[in-house]
Amino acid sequence: MSGRARLMWDDAVTAYDFGPSHPMDPVRLSLTMGLVRAYGLDRAVDVVAAPPAGDSTLRLVHRQEYVDAVRRASLDPRAAETSYGLGTEDDPAFAGMHEASALIAGQSVGAAESLWRGECAHAVNFAGGLHHAMPGAASGFCVYNDAALAIARLLELGAERVAYVDVDVHHGDGVQAAFWEDPRVLTVSLHEHPRTLFPGTGRPEETGAGAGEGGAVNVALPAGTGDEGWLRAFHAVVPELLADFRPQVLVTQHGADTHFEDPLAHLAVSLDAQRAVQASCHDLVHEYVDGGRWLALGGGGYAVVDVVPRSWTHLVGIAAHAPVDPLSEPPESWRHEVYARTRQRGPGRMTDGRTPAWRSWDSGYDPADRLDQAVLATRRAVFPARGLLA
């Protein structure tokens, strides 16, 4: 297996563009790639562009009638059919939508194939992580669910155990739905509680069905949760589940919208805590995953200048075994690029100046604490079904 990580990138993914007033500005992708290059990380990884996902691949998760509807809307945005979630405020149709969406999906699927063939141990597609798309509808800024497609492709290639860990501020509902009854896939999502945030799902009692009972894990965090609580919840749930499940591949989704500056959500997590979870995912891969196979995806994140590029550049550095010094200043050339593209001043350092710490769950819990109540609800809902102590 190659020791170098792969970074999946094609400039054309920036054509995934819902328009100038939409929160998901593709500049976040180009600025991230610019920062990756400014730090020289493109020389520490193999930068690879995979082909777009074809219809046979998209059908691993999506219905053909939906793919056809996306293609029609792509050719004529005015003909978008809202019954498929297209042409809505969240998912406005745009020319070339099918091609851009299929290209992003193709990067995640291509990365999964490379991991399974042993061509690399780690792969990153920060343009991916579009976890809300459903089999028959667009949802939440997501047209094709590249995360679910990558997992489905791994299963098609023969994988028997794939774990998915989603730390986006929003529930990973589309991936959960795709594998709701499939015991080969463990989905874990840590997110803001559905009573205060889209998509309104992801409660602890959502645990899967049939043969997949106990395969869906949801940690619904109180609005306002900061670094200590976020990290405590992650470490109280994820490592124990991965140690038990022993996946052959770990797929992770690293939406940057947990950040305290994000305009669309209500958690208060710092860049430093996001980097800590990225590093923990890397450590867990090497501890519990066959061959250290890790596919890391992007996701949400709407502080497109100050947060997203820094967070995902750290992710690329960690996957490449070339972590970026958080005390470093982003290169001046990149800050010039930021101003040229956005007329904003770029961030001056790769840290928020935090040193995140958390209490281990093994040290005990406080039944009156809202964060601990959330963690306990998840453990009680899922752990006994998996033969683990709640």
Side-chain angles (χ1 to χ4, degrees):
M1 183 176 291
S2 170
R4 283 171 64 88
R6 285 197 171 180
L7 174 59
M8 311 303 295
W9 178 255
D10 185 318
D11 287 343
V13 298
T14 59
Y16 191 83
D17 186 353
F18 291 113
S21 62
H22 196 280
M24 188 176 266
D25 188 335
V27 75
R28 68 198 194 119
L29 302 180
S30 54
L31 290 181
T32 299
M33 192 62 195
L35 190 55
V36 165
R37 288 176 175 138
Y39 272 105
L41 292 174
D42 56 326
R43 299 189 295 274
V45 297
D46 294 324
V47 180
V48 177
D55 282 17
S56 62
T57 297
L58 294 173
R59 283 198 302 269
L60 292 174
V61 170
H62 296 290
R63 300 180 192 127
Q64 185 64 51
E65 64 184 45
Y66 170 61
V67 175
D68 293 341
V70 174
R71 190 176 273 111
R72 289 193 296 271
S74 186
L75 291 170
D76 181 3
R78 295 169 300 177
E81 299 159 81
T82 57
S83 60
Y84 292 106
L86 304 170
T88 62
E89 183 177 358
D90 276 1
D91 298 279
F94 59 92
M97 180 168 61
H98 168 76
E99 290 76 13
S101 303
L103 183 61
I104 290 174
Q107 304 316 300
S108 293
V109 171
E113 292 171 344
S114 297
L115 289 166
W116 193 251
R117 289 193 296 255
E119 296 170 356
C120 61
H122 305 339
V124 179
N125 177 24
F126 58 74
L130 304 180
H131 59 172
H132 294 308
M134 292 294 177
S139 178
F141 312 164
C142 305
V143 177
Y144 294 141
N145 195 320
D146 65 285
L149 287 164
I151 295 168
R153 179 61 175 144
L154 288 166
L155 299 178
E156 187 178 49
L157 291 171
E160 297 175 345
R161 296 180 312 283
V162 180
Y164 172 75
V165 175
D166 187 322
V167 296
D168 192 289
V169 77
H170 302 91
H171 177 225
D173 57 338
V175 183
Q176 174 179 284
F179 305 105
W180 185 246
E181 298 184 20
D182 196 330
R184 298 172 296 174
V185 181
L186 173 70
T187 65
V188 185
S189 180
L190 287 82
H191 48 266
E192 185 179 329
H193 199 284
R195 75 167 63 94
T196 54
L197 193 67
F198 175 91
T201 57
R203 288 172 169 78
E205 54 269 25
E206 297 172 30
T207 57
E213 175 61 43
V217 183
N218 289 292
V219 186
L221 301 168
T225 297
D227 288 358
E228 180 180 357
W230 194 64
L231 293 170
R232 176 167 164 80
F234 178 91
H235 288 282
V237 173
V238 175
E240 197 169 345
L241 290 170
L242 294 183
D244 172 68
F245 191 62
R246 295 281 172 169
Q248 294 162 295
V249 185
L250 176 63
V251 180
T252 57
Q253 198 268 24
H254 297 271
D257 43 9
T258 52
H259 195 271
F260 54 78
E261 289 185 11
D262 197 89
L264 300 188
H266 316 98
L267 295 191
V269 174
S270 71
L271 180 75
D272 303 288
Q274 291 178 347
R275 179 171 50 84
V277 160
Q278 295 165 4
S280 292
C281 288
H282 178 257
D283 293 343
L284 292 168
V285 161
H286 284 288
E287 188 168 1
Y288 297 125
V289 180
D290 291 353
R293 296 186 186 97
W294 180 28
L295 172 53
L297 306 173
Y302 309 101
V304 299
V305 171
D306 286 343
V307 178
V308 174
R310 292 190 297 160
S311 185
W312 292 347
T313 297
H314 278 303
L315 179 63
V316 173
I318 288 166
H321 299 135
V324 173
D325 181 356
L327 297 179
S328 67
E329 296 182 0
E332 186 175 358
S333 60
W334 180 77
R335 296 202 296 274
H336 286 315
E337 179 186 354
V338 170
Y339 188 77
R341 287 178 175 269
T342 69
R343 290 298 184 262
Q344 297 181 43
R345 295 184 61 181
R349 54 183 185 167
M350 291 296 287
T351 176
D352 286 334
R354 308 283 180 87
T355 305
W358 71 95
R359 289 186 302 112
S360 166
W361 190 254
D362 292 339
S363 67
Y365 62 88
D366 178 359
D369 181 84
R370 292 173 64 217
L371 186 282
D372 284 5
Q373 290 170 0
V375 171
L376 190 59
T378 299
R379 291 179 63 100
R380 285 175 171 168
V382 175
F383 277 43
R386 305 197 66 85
L388 303 172
L389 294 176

